[in-house]
Amino acid sequence: MASIVAVIASTHHPFYYRASTATGEDRPPFADEWTSKILAFRETLTRARPDVLVMVGSDHFHQLWLDNMPQFLVGKAPFYDANWYNEEREFGLPRMLLKGQEDLSAHILRAGLDSGFDLAFSNELRIDHSITCPIITLRPEADLPIVPIYTNIFAPPLPQPKRFVQLGAAIREIVESWPSHLRVAVIGTGHLSLELGGPRQFGPHGPDPEFDQRAVEWIANGDLDGCLREVTLDSLHSPGNATHGFMDFMLMMGVAGAGVKADYVDTLDLFHTMEAYFTWYPNGAPAA
C-alpha cells in the first residue's frame, strides 16, 4: 500500500514569489528572512522523498462561483493549468502546468464516497495560488504529480469545522489504503487570522495576534479537542473576515492525527498576516 511520508500545513501568501525573486531597490526588507525560513521549510518535504503530492486548498472564486459551489472537490485530470490572469498581474505568479495522478484521484473519490463523503470532482480544473504557492515554496521544480482537493471556505453555507477534521482523517485512511508502492505527501494550506478588504487588513501583523498564538499552539500540539471547543463557524468571524481558511489547517490536523505534535514548526509575522509552517512525519523523521 501507499505510505504517507509527510503531512504539511502552511499559509499561502501570494506575494512570496515576487518578494523572493526581487532584486535591488525592488526587494522588500523582509525578503531575506522570509526566503531563509522557506528554504528551511522546503527541506522538510525534500527529506521525505515523496512521489506524489495530495494538495488541499480553496479556490478564490476563480473557477468555482456561486452558481456551482461544491463543499469538497477532487481534481481528476491528467494535467492542471495553474494560476489565473489576475494572479499573474497582481502577484507576479508564473503560469504553470502540473501533472495529475489520476489513479489516486479515482481512489480518493471512490473510497471517499464509500466513507460517507459526497465528494464532487472535476476533469477540467484550473488551480489557483492556494495550491501553486505551496508548490512554489516547497517544490519549485513542480515535477511531482498532484491530486488537488478544494474545500469551500468562502461561500456560505460552509461545512462545520468538525467536518474538515473528519475529512482530513478520512484522507489519511484512504491514501494509506491505495494499492500502490508510491510515497505520498499530503500538503494543505489555509490562513490564521486574516482580514481582506476590511479595516484591519494592513496592520503590522495579523488582525488578531491572540488568535494566531492559540492557533499555532493547537496545530503544533495536535490539540484537536481544544481547537474544536473554541472554533465555530460564528467564532471565526471575529479574528478577521477571511479567517474561515483556518478550517483547512484543521483538516490537516485531522490528517496528522489528534494529539500528534508537529515535527517542525515555524512562523513569521509579515505585515498583515502571520505566516506559519508545520510538518509531521507519520513514520518518523527521515534521515538527514
Side-chain angles (χ1 to χ4, degrees):
M1 296 298 176
S3 58
I4 295 180
V5 294
V7 177
I8 295 179
S10 78
T11 44
H12 57 260
H13 203 303
F15 283 111
Y16 173 75
Y17 181 79
R18 175 174 283 170
S20 64
T21 56
T23 59
E25 294 182 355
D26 293 330
R27 190 171 178 84
F30 50 79
D32 289 347
E33 181 183 9
W34 197 3
T35 301
S36 177
K37 284 179 174 287
I38 288 297
L39 291 176
F41 183 42
R42 182 180 302 166
E43 183 61 22
T44 69
L45 177 65
T46 301
R47 289 175 60 193
R49 297 182 294 109
D51 302 307
V52 183
L53 306 178
V54 174
M55 304 293 301
V56 178
S58 299
D59 178 74
H60 294 70
F61 292 123
H62 285 115
Q63 180 155 341
L64 305 176
W65 184 239
L66 302 181
D67 58 349
N68 189 358
M69 179 59 68
Q71 302 293 7
F72 302 114
L73 179 146
V74 178
K76 187 169 70 71
F79 294 95
Y80 300 94
D81 288 313
N83 292 324
W84 295 74
Y85 171 71
N86 71 304
E87 296 174 309
E88 298 175 46
R89 181 191 65 221
E90 296 172 22
F91 308 137
L93 293 177
R95 292 189 181 185
M96 303 171 74
L97 181 65
L98 303 171
K99 184 179 179 181
Q101 208 331 319
E102 293 179 278
D103 289 344
L104 181 52
S105 290
H107 177 73
I108 290 173
L109 282 164
R110 180 69 265 167
L113 289 168
D114 294 343
S115 300
F117 288 90
D118 296 330
L119 301 171
F121 70 89
S122 173
N123 290 339
E124 297 183 1
L125 185 67
R126 184 169 183 169
I127 57 180
D128 75 0
H129 71 270
S130 69
I131 287 176
T132 59
C133 282
I135 290 175
I136 288 168
T137 56
L138 289 164
R139 190 75 177 195
E141 304 92 335
D143 58 343
L144 297 177
I146 70 167
V147 174
I149 300 177
Y150 267 153
T151 69
N152 176 21
I153 60 168
F154 290 117
L158 305 180
Q160 293 288 343
K162 66 180 179 182
R163 194 59 170 164
F164 282 76
V165 175
Q166 291 166 350
L167 179 58
I171 288 172
R172 176 166 181 170
E173 182 177 342
I174 290 168
V175 171
E176 291 180 333
S177 72
W178 182 35
S180 169
H181 66 283
L182 295 178
R183 300 164 61 87
V184 180
V186 184
I187 301 171
T189 66
H191 308 299
L192 301 183
S193 69
L194 185 65
E195 181 101 346
L196 296 178
R200 295 183 290 170
Q201 178 169 356
F202 291 113
H205 44 61
D208 192 334
E210 292 183 4
F211 174 84
D212 292 343
Q213 181 179 356
R214 294 199 308 276
V216 169
E217 291 175 356
W218 290 329
I219 300 167
N221 294 311
D223 185 9
L224 273 171
D225 289 340
C227 186
L228 285 167
R229 277 196 302 269
E230 292 195 36
V231 174
T232 67
L233 292 176
D234 288 337
S235 75
L236 286 172
H237 289 288
S238 297
N241 62 17
T243 307
H244 288 83
F246 179 68
M247 293 191 292
D248 280 341
F249 272 114
M250 297 178 71
L251 187 154
M252 298 309 299
M253 293 169 70
V255 179
V260 179
K261 293 186 176 182
D263 295 291
Y264 180 92
V265 179
D266 199 8
T267 62
L268 175 65
D269 265 322
L270 195 66
F271 53 100
H272 71 289
T273 181
M274 173 180 276
E275 294 295 282
Y277 313 112
F278 306 88
T279 300
W280 296 260
Y281 295 117
N283 302 314

